[in-house]
Amino acid sequence: MSLPLTGGAGPSRTPSPRLTRLRRRLTPYIFVAPTLAGLALFLVYPLVSAVYFSFTRFNLIQAPEWVGLDNWRFLFEDDNVVRAAKNTLWLVVVMVPARMLGALLTALLLNQVRRARGVYRTLFYLPALAPPVAATLAFVLLLKPGTGPVNTALSALGVDDPPLWFNDPAWAKPSLVVLAMWGIGDLMMIFIAALLDVPAELHEAAALDGAGSWQRFRYVTLPSISPVLAFAAITGIIGTLQYFTQAAVAASVASGQVTGGGGISDTFGYPEGSTFTYPLWLYVVGFRYHVLGYANVLAVVLFVVSMTATVLLLRRFKEFTR
Amino acid sequence: MTRRNVLLFVARHAVAIALSVMFLAPVVFLGLTSFMTSDQTLTSQLWPTSWHPENYAEAFAKAPLLRYLVNTLLYATLATGFMLLASVPAAYGLAKLRWRGRSVTMVAIVCMMMLPPQVTTVPLYLFWADAGLTGSLWPLILPMLAGDAFSIFLLRQFLVTIPDEYLDAARVDGAGEWRTLWKVVLPMARPGIAAAAMFQFFYAWNDYYGPLLYTSENEQNWTVSLGLASFRSMHHVEWHLVSAATMLTMIPVVVLFFFAQKAFVQGVTLTGVKG
């Protein structure tokens, strides 16, 4: 049994060689056609319109009105954007390296452990599966200032003034980092896979040359896994620039005013704007205040920053990316 | 074992067990809280003084959790199905067929992966508003008919590892590309497809930003993430009910992972992420 497409189904149905060739040439395009359409519709079109809308005044109801650089000028007078960008930058600088280091250390540990390795892997990975909203709720409860188990334990250990966590502006962002550390399982799995690929002969050769375990890690393991580290850094930074859910949920729940629609703008950023991230501000401007022209300025800036970070990192890692 | 090895063994497992406890503690604590009385959640006691499984029933009564679960399931299942329908052929085209424009398409797909969803939010929201679909989950489901950039990338990495000889053999036997894809590539790529499907399913199940954007005004179409985040009473957070509802949200994901973990782990490991 063969398909008429390939010309084996009897003389009358054999297509001419030219038609066959044409078909063969077109097949790849048929395979990717939906994706190409999607790229046009969901990448090119929105990017171009985002840039266009950033030069307009627009509130979803009236037609967009061209205002030139007004929105862009406002960017430099907007205190909220400075505050939100600072919070986001803080998260990028602390959360991304913390997660990478945590995931690398747990991966190294599990690669040393033989017995029950699978059990540990599953246990460490499970939190990464928890829905972010659920995980955030669990941590707000866990870190409740007065009665949460963490502070109860700290008091029992003799800590006089345990932190107020999500309710203290100085501790709210570190609390988000603790939450992010809990979910390092996905990154850990990727690192485990990379570590398994490090050639054992290289380690043996280095050991014969008298390299200690730190030296072997530094000069054998680290260079071998650097492409994966680069991947983790890039996706980590991009992901943190988009950080939204946990910040929104933690703030609206910790503030105690759990309101409909997943949080109204007054509760975003609680306490004292300490968890107010850049994507939150973009969401509030666009979909709470309906100032869409300015929201698009914020969006275009976010895109440029993401792209720049990616390109710089790819260049930085080029020399030791295989 | 030498004494040094015994010490190392004990030390490693001690650290691993301590970490396991830290990773599990929040879930256990949430589970315990879900069986407490409302009053007890305000104290610092960890163990329920009396057990109240009826909290789960009450959580269902307080909010249309069942509808949220059905909405979420619908979103996650359709999005995953549509994604596979479009992404698998696209990944095959990108991995195994030669055509003009292939590398440009790859670059565009990587760009799409890097693109923060917030950037395209406004234009796409307007697009879906014009189509009359805001308020529903369709703006999150329908785009999957064009495939998903991350999944295409993942699947492509996977398909590249399948030796060309298998495909050539099928072609010599007279199979067209569709048939080759269906009969040869699909069976060999099962772990990769499982991994991509699960990533997509988890993503949709856990998605908060998308449903918040499109359905926040229309409670009929809320997902569990949205419902959980706004679980409320007039005055305060009812932790015993929130915990029960949270546990319910996590169970399907954990069950799915449990049953598919072998394929999932294999898929993730094999596709790797090396460029």
Side-chain angles (χ1 to χ4, degrees):
Chain A
M1 192 190 111
S2 66
L3 296 172
L5 237 185
T6 53
S12 62
R13 292 178 61 191
T14 306
S16 76
R18 234 167 99 200
L19 201 63
T20 314
R21 228 180 302 131
L22 186 68
R23 270 188 181 156
R24 197 163 290 158
R25 257 219 210 138
L26 281 179
T27 317
Y29 293 99
I30 299 169
F31 279 122
V32 293
T35 299
L36 291 178
L39 286 172
L41 197 59
F42 302 116
L43 176 73
V44 180
Y45 161 72
L47 261 182
V48 173
S49 4
V51 174
Y52 165 73
F53 285 133
S54 77
F55 296 107
T56 64
R57 181 181 300 137
F58 185 28
N59 59 4
L60 275 181
I61 300 157
Q62 284 129 344
E65 177 198 342
W66 187 267
V67 291
L69 285 171
D70 279 8
N71 293 323
W72 285 91
R73 238 175 261 134
F74 184 70
L75 185 69
F76 297 95
E77 298 159 20
D78 181 2
D79 293 336
N80 275 320
V81 83
V82 176
R83 172 193 290 187
K86 271 187 189 160
N87 283 330
T88 297
L89 188 67
W90 189 100
L91 288 170
V92 169
V93 170
V94 179
M95 200 139 73
V96 178
R99 272 174 56 88
M100 284 179 65
L101 195 65
L104 186 58
L105 290 178
T106 45
L108 284 167
L109 175 72
L110 291 202
N111 268 17
Q112 306 266 313
V113 171
R114 292 255 148 61
R115 203 162 299 189
R117 187 195 279 179
V119 178
Y120 289 133
R121 263 190 214 174
T122 313
L123 282 179
F124 290 13
Y125 186 70
L126 277 181
L129 290 173
V133 172
T136 311
L137 287 170
F139 269 74
V140 174
L141 182 58
L142 208 61
L143 297 174
K144 260 200 303 177
T147 54
V150 169
N151 275 4
T152 308
L154 286 176
S155 305
L157 290 172
V159 179
D160 284 336
D161 296 304
L164 302 179
W165 304 106
F166 284 114
N167 293 83
D168 179 345
W171 278 95
K173 279 192 291 289
S175 308
L176 290 173
V177 175
V178 176
L179 167 60
M181 292 301 287
W182 188 60
I184 56 175
D186 48 354
L187 209 51
M188 178 196 74
M189 291 292 244
I190 291 172
F191 286 166
I192 286 178
L195 287 171
L196 289 175
D197 275 353
V198 178
E201 312 89 67
L202 282 181
H203 266 286
E204 283 156 22
L208 280 179
D209 287 344
S213 51
W214 165 251
Q215 281 173 315
R216 270 179 291 155
F217 175 74
R218 174 69 188 81
Y219 296 105
V220 178
T221 310
L222 216 49
S224 313
I225 63 170
S226 71
V228 178
L229 292 178
F231 172 86
I234 291 170
T235 51
I237 290 172
I238 304 284
T240 313
L241 288 174
Q242 300 166 17
Y243 196 73
F244 179 85
T245 305
Q246 290 89 338
V249 175
S252 77
V253 178
S255 68
Q257 316 159 31
V258 194
T259 37
I264 298 295
S265 44
D266 340 324
T267 66
F268 282 160
Y270 174 88
E272 291 174 33
S274 56
T275 57
F276 199 65
T277 62
Y278 190 92
L280 270 169
W281 180 226
L282 202 163
Y283 175 79
V284 170
V285 168
F287 295 93
R288 298 283 179 206
Y289 301 161
H290 300 293
V291 184
L292 294 164
Y294 185 55
N296 274 301
V297 169
L298 296 174
V300 172
V301 170
L302 183 59
F303 177 66
V304 171
V305 171
S306 301
M307 272 313 193
T308 313
T310 309
V311 170
L312 286 179
L313 267 167
L314 280 177
R315 262 207 207 139
R316 172 76 186 78
F317 275 94
K318 204 177 217 162
E319 66 239 47
F320 50 115
T321 306
R322 274 178 297 189
Chain B
M1 275 204 270
T2 65
R3 170 176 283 184
R4 186 167 176 273
N5 282 347
V6 173
L7 279 177
L8 263 178
F9 177 88
V10 172
R12 280 169 188 155
H13 279 275
V15 176
I17 290 169
L19 283 171
S20 306
V21 170
M22 281 164 64
F23 276 113
L24 264 191
V27 181
V28 172
F29 174 66
L30 200 66
L32 289 174
T33 305
S34 73
F35 290 105
M36 292 177 179
T37 61
S38 174
D39 287 342
Q40 203 195 333
T41 60
L42 302 174
T43 69
S44 53
Q45 284 165 301
L46 295 182
W47 198 259
T49 41
S50 52
W51 292 79
H52 296 275
E54 70 273 14
N55 286 346
Y56 283 81
E58 205 184 321
F60 272 102
K62 268 272 159 66
L65 271 187
L66 200 62
R67 191 198 301 145
Y68 297 163
L69 281 165
V70 170
N71 289 341
T72 314
L73 194 66
L74 205 71
Y75 169 25
T77 316
L78 284 179
T80 306
F82 287 179
M83 179 283 286
L84 287 178
L85 220 56
S87 300
V88 173
Y92 177 64
L94 285 161
K96 291 295 181 193
L97 303 175
R98 229 161 280 140
W99 43 283
R100 194 184 280 261
R102 187 170 76 160
S103 45
V104 179
T105 310
M106 267 317 281
V107 172
I109 284 171
V110 174
C111 274
M112 186 97 196
M113 274 169 61
M114 297 295 177
L115 189 71
Q118 288 90 359
V119 176
T120 55
T121 293
V122 175
L124 287 181
Y125 185 89
L126 295 171
F127 174 83
W128 293 111
D130 280 343
L133 289 174
T134 45
S136 76
L137 288 164
W138 290 111
L140 304 169
I141 297 169
L142 289 178
M144 289 301 147
L145 280 172
D148 163 71
F150 173 76
S151 312
I152 295 173
F153 188 76
L154 189 83
L155 286 166
R156 192 203 86 106
Q157 299 302 89
F158 201 90
L159 296 185
V160 163
T161 62
I162 295 177
D164 281 331
E165 288 78 37
Y166 289 101
L167 310 183
D168 291 337
R171 287 173 194 143
V172 167
D173 285 350
E177 292 300 342
W178 287 106
R179 213 174 143 73
T180 312
L181 172 61
W182 187 250
K183 292 281 180 191
V184 182
V185 175
L186 275 190
M188 295 183 78
R190 225 175 268 153
I193 292 170
M198 285 183 70
F199 273 127
Q200 181 67 53
F201 191 91
F202 291 153
Y203 175 82
W205 188 271
N206 294 337
D207 188 13
Y208 174 71
Y209 184 73
L212 175 69
L213 194 61
Y214 287 107
T215 69
S216 57
E217 316 276 309
N218 182 5
E219 204 173 333
Q220 288 288 325
N221 289 327
W222 278 14
T223 59
V224 277
S225 280
L226 219 51
L228 270 187
S230 57
F231 217 92
R232 61 186 144 159
S233 78
M234 290 304 284
H235 307 292
H236 63 104
V237 185
E238 292 185 276
W239 281 114
H240 60 309
L241 302 184
V242 174
S243 306
T246 307
M247 292 302 283
L248 285 170
T249 327
M250 288 172 61
I251 289 167
V253 190
V254 174
V255 169
L256 182 66
F257 179 75
F258 180 78
F259 282 111
Q261 62 172 319
K262 214 174 139 199
F264 184 62
V265 172
Q266 198 189 354
V268 173
T269 314
L270 281 180
T271 43
V273 273
K274 299 188 181 183

